[in-house]
DNA sequence: GCGTATTGACTGCCTGATAG
DNA sequence: CTATCAGGCAGTCAATACGC
């Protein structure tokens, strides 16, 4: 079995059709058929069910596809490693929560882009669980995630220290009274939400009425409109607080601090582009 | 003697045609 | 749409020739 065989196998699995796979690879159909047949013969097991219109993976084929994807990724990394140079280039895919992306990353990304214009930098924002999944699937090179992660497959570097504040609409009400209002948060897995839930549990406040929102703007807008309260970083709400649209309350010390880590897979091949990106955080850690 | 270039047989991959 | 087959082509390998 060679990498070329796996490439053909992946194309057929992806297309579900030998003729289309052949076209996508620039081969003729007969060649792809023969290569798949040969692979099946070598492995002594059928990899595809032959259907009237195309092919479908057998369970053995599904298993092989998982390995084929991993091998392809490793080969890509191997190629990258041979092209490793001091001048960073290639793609760098960074993930981040909305709050970190809005406050910290514009400046960092701009500075990095100016220094290393040959790197194709992309920033994907998402919820914590989505970022972790994307890291696991090698869809991201690294991600800024709030709070400790402690996954054995991941390395993490402390990137930013944040102060969490409770926000509400501008009000005369005392902090204690605000805690009974609905909580506005991102989806499940949101680290700030866990913090607030812990705190409210300790304060014997409950049951909590939680509303989930998709964006930071939506949460702040909802809070400003009096829909409820939320827990966000002081820096992310600063503009709204300064504009008088929101009020920020200091919360107890043990819940106040939020550390944002830059997290990446331990087995990730560190390109020059990646190393230069994490350099400033490694220095300050 | 050693390293390099050339040659020919062999092998495997690819293609086009065609059958089912 | 897939499978099979014959033929062409390119790459590999061992044997041989050549130059230093």
């Amino acid at each position: 079995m060679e990498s070329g065989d796996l490439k053909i196998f992946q194309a057929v699995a992806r297309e579900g059709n030998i003729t289309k796979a052949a076209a996508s690879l620039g081969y003729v159909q007969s060649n792809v058929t023969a290569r798949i047949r040969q692979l099946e013969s070598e492995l002594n097991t059928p990899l595809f069910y032959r259907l009237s219109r195309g092919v479908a993976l057998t369970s053995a084929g599904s298993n092989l596809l998982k390995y084929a994807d991993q091998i392809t990724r490793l080969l890509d990394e191997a190629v990258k490693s041979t092209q490793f140079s001091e001048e960073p280039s290639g793609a760098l895919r960074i993930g981040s929560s909305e709050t970190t992306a809005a406050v910290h990353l514009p400046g960092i990304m701009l500075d990095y882009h100016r220094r290393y214009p040959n790197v194709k930098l992309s920033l994907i924002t998402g919820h914590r669980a989505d970022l972790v999944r994307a890291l696991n699937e090698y869809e991201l090179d690294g991600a800024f995630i709030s709070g400790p992660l402690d996954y054995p497959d991941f390395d993490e570097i402390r990137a930013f220290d944040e102060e969490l504040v409770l926000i509400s609409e501008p009000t005369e009400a005392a902090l204690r009274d605000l805690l009974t209002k609905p909580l506005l948060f991102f989806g499940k897995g949101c680290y700030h939400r866990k913090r607030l839930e812990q705190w409210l549990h300790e304060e014997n406040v409950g049951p909590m009425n939680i509303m989930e929102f998709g964006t930071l703007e939506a949460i702040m807008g909802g809070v400003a409109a009096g829909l409820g309260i939320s827990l966000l970083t002081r820096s992310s709400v600063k503009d709204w607080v300064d504009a008088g649209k929101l009020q920020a309350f200091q919360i107890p010390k043990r819940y106040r601090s939020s550390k944002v880590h830059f997290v990446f897979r331990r087995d990730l091949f560190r390109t020059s582009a990646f190393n230069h990106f994490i350099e400033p955080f490694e220095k300050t850690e």
Side-chain angles (χ1 to χ4, degrees), chain A residues 243-264:
Chain A
K245 294 185 204 167
L246 292 175
Q247 189 164 352
F249 294 87
Q250 197 173 59
I251 65 171
K253 205 171 179 180
R254 61 182 175 286
Y255 297 111
R256 197 182 298 164
S257 159
S258 167
K259 292 176 176 52
V260 177
H261 292 84
F262 184 71
V263 181
F264 52 95

Side-chain angles (χ1 to χ4, degrees), chain A residues 74-102:
Chain A
L74 283 170
L75 282 172
D76 282 348
E77 287 194 2
V79 170
K80 276 188 195 170
S81 74
T82 64
Q83 293 165 352
F84 186 87
S85 68
E86 272 312 300
E87 181 55 38
S89 60
L92 188 62
R93 302 152 304 173
I94 302 299
S96 170
S97 66
E98 275 233 7
T99 47
T100 304

Side-chain angles (χ1 to χ4, degrees), chain A residues 123-142:
Chain A
L123 176 65
I124 292 104
T125 59
H127 298 162
R128 184 184 164 97
D130 296 332
L131 295 173
V132 170
R133 184 205 57 76
L135 286 168
N136 256 325
E137 303 289 321
Y138 299 93
E139 290 167 10
L140 292 173
D141 295 306

Side-chain angles (χ1 to χ4, degrees), chain A residues 95-110:
Chain A
S96 170
S97 66
E98 275 233 7
T99 47
T100 304
V103 177
H104 296 285
L105 297 190
I108 289 171
M109 304 286 270
L110 179 64

Side-chain angles (χ1 to χ4, degrees), chain A residues 7-37:
Chain A
K7 215 171 164 185
I8 290 173
F9 167 72
Q10 283 175 302
V12 175
R14 192 174 55 240
E15 300 285 352
N17 180 306
I18 291 182
T19 305
K20 284 182 187 169
S24 75
L25 293 165
Y27 293 149
V28 293
Q29 167 266 321
S30 59
N31 181 34
V32 174
T33 295
R35 294 286 290 268
I36 294 295
R37 280 263 160 223

Side-chain angles (χ1 to χ4, degrees), chain A residues 215-233:
Chain A
T215 66
L216 179 64
E217 291 280 316
I219 290 175
M220 292 196 292
V223 172
L227 205 54
I229 58 171
S230 189
L231 194 67
L232 291 170
T233 60

Side-chain angles (χ1 to χ4, degrees), chain A residues 42-53:
Chain A
E42 187 182 331
L43 297 172
N44 208 22
T45 182
L47 299 170
F48 294 99
Y49 296 112
R50 270 66 175 178
L51 312 173
S52 55
R53 301 187 76 81

